[in-house]
Each structure stands twice: as structure tokens, then as C-alpha cells.
Amino acid sequence: MTMAYDVFNGDADGICALHQLRLHTPAEAHLITGVKRDIELLRRVPDGAADVLVLDISLDANAGELRRLLDGGARVEYYDHHSADCAFEHPALRLHCDGSPDVCTSILVDRRLGGRHRLWAVTAAFGDNLEPIAQTMAREMGLGDDAIADLAQLGQTINYNAYGECTEDLHIAPEALYREVSGYQNPFDFIGSSAVYRRLREGYREDCERLHELQPYLERPGGAIYLLPATAWSRRVSGVLANRLAARRDGASFAVLNERSDGSYLVSVRSGAPSLRSACGLCQQFDSGGGRVAAAGINRLPRQELASFMKRFCEYFELKGTWNDYHPQNS
């Protein structure tokens, strides 16, 4: 029985990063993944694991479990682009972490592999809202407009599928989606042949049409906050909304909040000026908060902290106006 484990985020970046590595070095391994915000995945790896590959989950959120596995004799290779303030050295750990705003985990893997499966890295970069980087990589490969548009849609659709409170919210479980993707060396073959992708694309189209129904709860020069209803479709589309808002590139910052089944909120934050006011700098002020400088989130914001979060968001990103202007019922 194999004691190898592939542990990866269920979004486009995690799936494409693993696919690149397994195209390069096929291996039998147990798969551990989940919805996009299910990041404390190393706790699901049992004691006695021999080889563990970790992709696109925060080291800071898994540092204790990582230490457990290493101390238990596991060999760990870890690729990630989130905050790694808790990183440490260990003879059995190969760590590839870079928190720069212009990389994702699939790009780190692409660098490691010398570009051998770069089309999948481009796909992941589009899915992770790194459009300028993805465009540059694609142009350097000689891809035309139509091919680039196809990869962009693929990345965005795979990424969209990862958003939900649980796998039941999703059109297809991330493990099943990875297994479908793993049957294709070339993303264009996947686009042209996969019935799963056609189903995902239709779900993506239907959910995106409902974005027109959404209005900001708070909107001022410099940013906005969206409160989404407690429905499966709004949980699926929350990442698309956050990324579309960020794609305006007008220096504005945004927060998208989904009500969870227990009454708390799942929060996504996009910073319009990440070098000055990082998204993770705000989110780390709350329990279960973290992420990257441009994009971060809070996995569970208690309902009683909602007003506090909104106030802090406005102050942190220096939105013009007073707090009473934003949330008068809390005055």
C-alpha cells in the first residue's frame, strides 16, 4: 500500500500545479484536496506517510501538521505562494515558496520543470487572476488571441468550481475534476473533448448571469463591500465577482462576503494597492484570516464581528467618509 500523498488546493492553481508535476513524474499517491478555502489539509495526512507533495495551501496554516509529518519520518516537497512567515528548515523538507504578487504555485512548478508543461501554468495563472502574467507567458509561447482566450476561460472555469462552503456546493468535487484533467496532456484537448468541462462551462455561464443581480452593500471612492445571499450559486460565484472587481485595476479595494450555513461569513478581499496595503495585512487581523498581498480572505468571520470588519476595511483602505456614512445602523 502506497504511503505517498498529493495534497493540493482544489482551485485551478492547485490542480494545474499537481498536473504539471505528475505529467513530469508519474506516481501513485493518495489525493487530499477540498474546496478553495479548505486549506488546513495536512491534518488529513496520517502518521507514517512516507512522501508528501503539498501544493498551493498556506504553510502558515499548516506549520504544526507539517512539523508532525517531518518528525514522523516523511519526506515533504512543498510549493506555495501564500504567506510563509512560519517557514522553517528541515533536512527532509524541500520548500519552494514565493509570496510575490506576480506568481502562483503553478508558475513556481513551471520554473522547477523548466517550462515543460507551461500551457497548464498559463491556465492556472489566468484562473488565479494573474492575467498580465498569463498573457505575457502565452505570447512568449507564440499563442494567438483565440488560443489565449480559450486558456483564460479554462483557468477561470476550473477556479470557479472550487468556490463553495462544501463540496456539495460545487458542480464537481475537486478530486474528481483533477482526475478528469489528469487524462489530458494538452489543455486544448481537454477543452475540446471533456464532457465535464462542458458541464462546468455551462454552470459558470448560468451563475455569472446572476452577477447582474448583485449590488454593493457599501460603495465609496476607493472601494466597496458586497454581502452575498446564503445560496449555493452565490458561494460558487463569489470568487468570480472578487476577481472581476479586482480586474478593474483602478486602485480600488473590495470585499465580498458570503453568509455561511452557521451564520458566520466567508470573506474575500482584494487590495487595489497591494504594495502599500496588502489584503493579507487586513485579513490576518481576524481569526482564520490570511492569504497574499493582493488577494486574501477570512474563512469564518463571526456574525458579531461583521460591523467591526466593515469599519476596519474602510479605515485600512482609507475609504473616504465616516463610519456612520457606511453603516448607519451601527451608529
Side-chain angles (χ1 to χ4, degrees), residues 46-61:
D47 293 335
D51 292 285
V52 183
L53 174 64
V54 188
L55 300 158
D56 199 38
I57 60 171
S58 166
L59 188 148
D60 289 349

PDB file of all heavy atoms in Angstrom, residues 46-61:
ATOM      1  N   PRO A  46      -2.120  11.014   7.408  1.00  0.00           N
ATOM      2  CA  PRO A  46      -1.897  10.231   8.630  1.00  0.00           C
ATOM      3  C   PRO A  46      -0.426  10.126   9.002  1.00  0.00           C
ATOM      4  O   PRO A  46       0.462  10.323   8.162  1.00  0.00           O
ATOM      5  CB  PRO A  46      -2.470   8.856   8.272  1.00  0.00           C
ATOM      6  CG  PRO A  46      -2.299   8.761   6.791  1.00  0.00           C
ATOM      7  CD  PRO A  46      -2.520  10.161   6.273  1.00  0.00           C
ATOM      8  N   ASP A  47      -0.169   9.799  10.261  1.00  0.00           N
ATOM      9  CA  ASP A  47       1.192   9.473  10.686  1.00  0.00           C
ATOM     10  C   ASP A  47       1.681   8.272   9.883  1.00  0.00           C
ATOM     11  O   ASP A  47       0.897   7.387   9.505  1.00  0.00           O
ATOM     12  CB  ASP A  47       1.212   9.125  12.181  1.00  0.00           C
ATOM     13  CG  ASP A  47       0.886  10.325  13.061  1.00  0.00           C
ATOM     14  OD1 ASP A  47       1.098  11.464  12.614  1.00  0.00           O
ATOM     15  OD2 ASP A  47       0.407  10.108  14.197  1.00  0.00           O
ATOM     16  N   GLY A  48       2.962   8.269   9.611  1.00  0.00           N
ATOM     17  CA  GLY A  48       3.544   7.168   8.857  1.00  0.00           C
ATOM     18  C   GLY A  48       3.646   7.429   7.374  1.00  0.00           C
ATOM     19  O   GLY A  48       4.147   6.575   6.627  1.00  0.00           O
ATOM     20  N   ALA A  49       3.166   8.588   6.910  1.00  0.00           N
ATOM     21  CA  ALA A  49       3.300   8.921   5.495  1.00  0.00           C
ATOM     22  C   ALA A  49       4.779   8.975   5.111  1.00  0.00           C
ATOM     23  O   ALA A  49       5.606   9.474   5.879  1.00  0.00           O
ATOM     24  CB  ALA A  49       2.633  10.258   5.201  1.00  0.00           C
ATOM     25  N   ALA A  50       5.090   8.469   3.933  1.00  0.00           N
ATOM     26  CA  ALA A  50       6.487   8.430   3.503  1.00  0.00           C
ATOM     27  C   ALA A  50       6.862   9.637   2.651  1.00  0.00           C
ATOM     28  O   ALA A  50       7.878  10.292   2.895  1.00  0.00           O
ATOM     29  CB  ALA A  50       6.755   7.142   2.726  1.00  0.00           C
ATOM     30  N   ASP A  51       6.048   9.914   1.648  1.00  0.00           N
ATOM     31  CA  ASP A  51       6.319  11.027   0.730  1.00  0.00           C
ATOM     32  C   ASP A  51       5.067  11.876   0.620  1.00  0.00           C
ATOM     33  O   ASP A  51       3.979  11.361   0.323  1.00  0.00           O
ATOM     34  CB  ASP A  51       6.718  10.513  -0.651  1.00  0.00           C
ATOM     35  CG  ASP A  51       8.063   9.821  -0.635  1.00  0.00           C
ATOM     36  OD1 ASP A  51       9.087  10.516  -0.559  1.00  0.00           O
ATOM     37  OD2 ASP A  51       8.079   8.567  -0.669  1.00  0.00           O
ATOM     38  N   VAL A  52       5.229  13.184   0.827  1.00  0.00           N
ATOM     39  CA  VAL A  52       4.085  14.099   0.792  1.00  0.00           C
ATOM     40  C   VAL A  52       4.431  15.264  -0.132  1.00  0.00           C
ATOM     41  O   VAL A  52       5.434  15.945   0.067  1.00  0.00           O
ATOM     42  CB  VAL A  52       3.736  14.627   2.196  1.00  0.00           C
ATOM     43  CG1 VAL A  52       2.496  15.516   2.136  1.00  0.00           C
ATOM     44  CG2 VAL A  52       3.516  13.473   3.174  1.00  0.00           C
ATOM     45  N   LEU A  53       3.598  15.461  -1.133  1.00  0.00           N
ATOM     46  CA  LEU A  53       3.717  16.603  -2.035  1.00  0.00           C
ATOM     47  C   LEU A  53       2.600  17.575  -1.688  1.00  0.00           C
ATOM     48  O   LEU A  53       1.424  17.194  -1.651  1.00  0.00           O
ATOM     49  CB  LEU A  53       3.588  16.141  -3.488  1.00  0.00           C
ATOM     50  CG  LEU A  53       3.540  17.227  -4.562  1.00  0.00           C
ATOM     51  CD1 LEU A  53       4.844  18.025  -4.606  1.00  0.00           C
ATOM     52  CD2 LEU A  53       3.253  16.604  -5.936  1.00  0.00           C
ATOM     53  N   VAL A  54       2.959  18.836  -1.416  1.00  0.00           N
ATOM     54  CA  VAL A  54       1.990  19.832  -0.966  1.00  0.00           C
ATOM     55  C   VAL A  54       1.982  20.994  -1.955  1.00  0.00           C
ATOM     56  O   VAL A  54       3.046  21.541  -2.284  1.00  0.00           O
ATOM     57  CB  VAL A  54       2.327  20.358   0.445  1.00  0.00           C
ATOM     58  CG1 VAL A  54       1.195  21.236   0.967  1.00  0.00           C
ATOM     59  CG2 VAL A  54       2.602  19.200   1.407  1.00  0.00           C
ATOM     60  N   LEU A  55       0.788  21.387  -2.381  1.00  0.00           N
ATOM     61  CA  LEU A  55       0.665  22.395  -3.430  1.00  0.00           C
ATOM     62  C   LEU A  55      -0.434  23.412  -3.119  1.00  0.00           C
ATOM     63  O   LEU A  55      -1.599  23.034  -2.931  1.00  0.00           O
ATOM     64  CB  LEU A  55       0.353  21.723  -4.776  1.00  0.00           C
ATOM     65  CG  LEU A  55       1.405  20.730  -5.271  1.00  0.00           C
ATOM     66  CD1 LEU A  55       0.796  19.753  -6.252  1.00  0.00           C
ATOM     67  CD2 LEU A  55       2.574  21.463  -5.900  1.00  0.00           C
ATOM     68  N   ASP A  56      -0.043  24.674  -3.038  1.00  0.00           N
ATOM     69  CA  ASP A  56      -0.977  25.785  -3.031  1.00  0.00           C
ATOM     70  C   ASP A  56      -1.858  25.835  -1.787  1.00  0.00           C
ATOM     71  O   ASP A  56      -3.015  26.227  -1.852  1.00  0.00           O
ATOM     72  CB  ASP A  56      -1.853  25.753  -4.296  1.00  0.00           C
ATOM     73  CG  ASP A  56      -2.506  27.102  -4.586  1.00  0.00           C
ATOM     74  OD1 ASP A  56      -1.851  28.126  -4.369  1.00  0.00           O
ATOM     75  OD2 ASP A  56      -3.675  27.118  -5.021  1.00  0.00           O
ATOM     76  N   ILE A  57      -1.317  25.440  -0.637  1.00  0.00           N
ATOM     77  CA  ILE A  57      -2.004  25.689   0.629  1.00  0.00           C
ATOM     78  C   ILE A  57      -1.021  26.391   1.564  1.00  0.00           C
ATOM     79  O   ILE A  57       0.168  26.093   1.567  1.00  0.00           O
ATOM     80  CB  ILE A  57      -2.567  24.410   1.271  1.00  0.00           C
ATOM     81  CG1 ILE A  57      -1.461  23.392   1.567  1.00  0.00           C
ATOM     82  CG2 ILE A  57      -3.659  23.805   0.404  1.00  0.00           C
ATOM     83  CD1 ILE A  57      -1.937  22.207   2.384  1.00  0.00           C
ATOM     84  N   SER A  58      -1.527  27.312   2.344  1.00  0.00           N
ATOM     85  CA  SER A  58      -0.688  28.163   3.183  1.00  0.00           C
ATOM     86  C   SER A  58       0.148  27.349   4.162  1.00  0.00           C
ATOM     87  O   SER A  58      -0.383  26.529   4.926  1.00  0.00           O
ATOM     88  CB  SER A  58      -1.574  29.135   3.954  1.00  0.00           C
ATOM     89  OG  SER A  58      -0.863  29.748   5.007  1.00  0.00           O
ATOM     90  N   LEU A  59       1.439  27.596   4.162  1.00  0.00           N
ATOM     91  CA  LEU A  59       2.315  26.953   5.139  1.00  0.00           C
ATOM     92  C   LEU A  59       1.978  27.435   6.544  1.00  0.00           C
ATOM     93  O   LEU A  59       2.002  26.656   7.497  1.00  0.00           O
ATOM     94  CB  LEU A  59       3.776  27.225   4.811  1.00  0.00           C
ATOM     95  CG  LEU A  59       4.815  26.463   5.627  1.00  0.00           C
ATOM     96  CD1 LEU A  59       6.061  26.187   4.797  1.00  0.00           C
ATOM     97  CD2 LEU A  59       5.215  27.221   6.898  1.00  0.00           C
ATOM     98  N   ASP A  60       1.669  28.712   6.675  1.00  0.00           N
ATOM     99  CA  ASP A  60       1.357  29.250   7.998  1.00  0.00           C
ATOM    100  C   ASP A  60       0.167  28.537   8.629  1.00  0.00           C
ATOM    101  O   ASP A  60       0.110  28.354   9.846  1.00  0.00           O
ATOM    102  CB  ASP A  60       1.073  30.749   7.906  1.00  0.00           C
ATOM    103  CG  ASP A  60       2.328  31.564   7.632  1.00  0.00           C
ATOM    104  OD1 ASP A  60       3.428  30.995   7.714  1.00  0.00           O
ATOM    105  OD2 ASP A  60       2.199  32.762   7.327  1.00  0.00           O
ATOM    106  N   ALA A  61      -0.804  28.124   7.822  1.00  0.00           N
ATOM    107  CA  ALA A  61      -1.984  27.433   8.338  1.00  0.00           C
ATOM    108  C   ALA A  61      -1.727  25.957   8.588  1.00  0.00           C
ATOM    109  O   ALA A  61      -2.579  25.269   9.170  1.00  0.00           O
ATOM    110  CB  ALA A  61      -3.149  27.592   7.365  1.00  0.00           C
TER     111      ALA A  61
END
